[in-house]
Amino acid sequence: MLGKVKQLITFYEEVLSMPHRQEIARELRNEDDMFLLLLYSEMLGIPNPVYYYTLELYPYMMENYHEWHLRMGMEKSPMTGFRCC
């Protein structure tokens, strides 16, 4: 009996937290997109005063960039001269 009550409480907590997980995941994805925009802003024509320092991050962010343009529905990188695929 006690096991079933614990199971019911666990299920109830999961049901309550489910919408928040989606919100948190969406918010984290939006923050990642904003960071990518800041990182690649120079290539889009937006002046970036810290461009020199962000160059060091490109190798580490390449996989995230690839996932981003696939999520946006672009099969290949939208930036010319910047290959990730």
Side-chain angles (χ1 to χ4, degrees), residues 1 3 6 16 20 22 29-31 34 36 38 48 51 53-54 56 62 68 79 81 84:
M1 179 74 176
K6 286 182 180 179
L16 287 179
H20 300 294
Q22 292 174 349
R29 196 173 47 233
N30 287 342
E31 287 180 8
M34 180 60 79
L36 282 175
L38 292 173
N48 184 0
Y51 179 71
Y53 299 106
T54 59
E56 296 177 8
M62 194 63 88
W68 172 80
M79 295 184 198
C84 68

Side-chain angles (χ1 to χ4, degrees), residues 17-30:
S17 66
M18 184 68 87
H20 300 294
R21 285 185 193 158
Q22 292 174 349
E23 290 176 21
I24 291 170
R26 186 179 319 123
E27 191 64 33
L28 287 174
R29 196 173 47 233
N30 287 342

Side-chain angles (χ1 to χ4, degrees), residues 58-69:
Y58 286 166
Y60 302 107
M61 299 302 296
M62 194 63 88
E63 189 172 322
N64 288 351
Y65 176 75
H66 179 70
E67 291 173 4
W68 172 80
H69 77 73

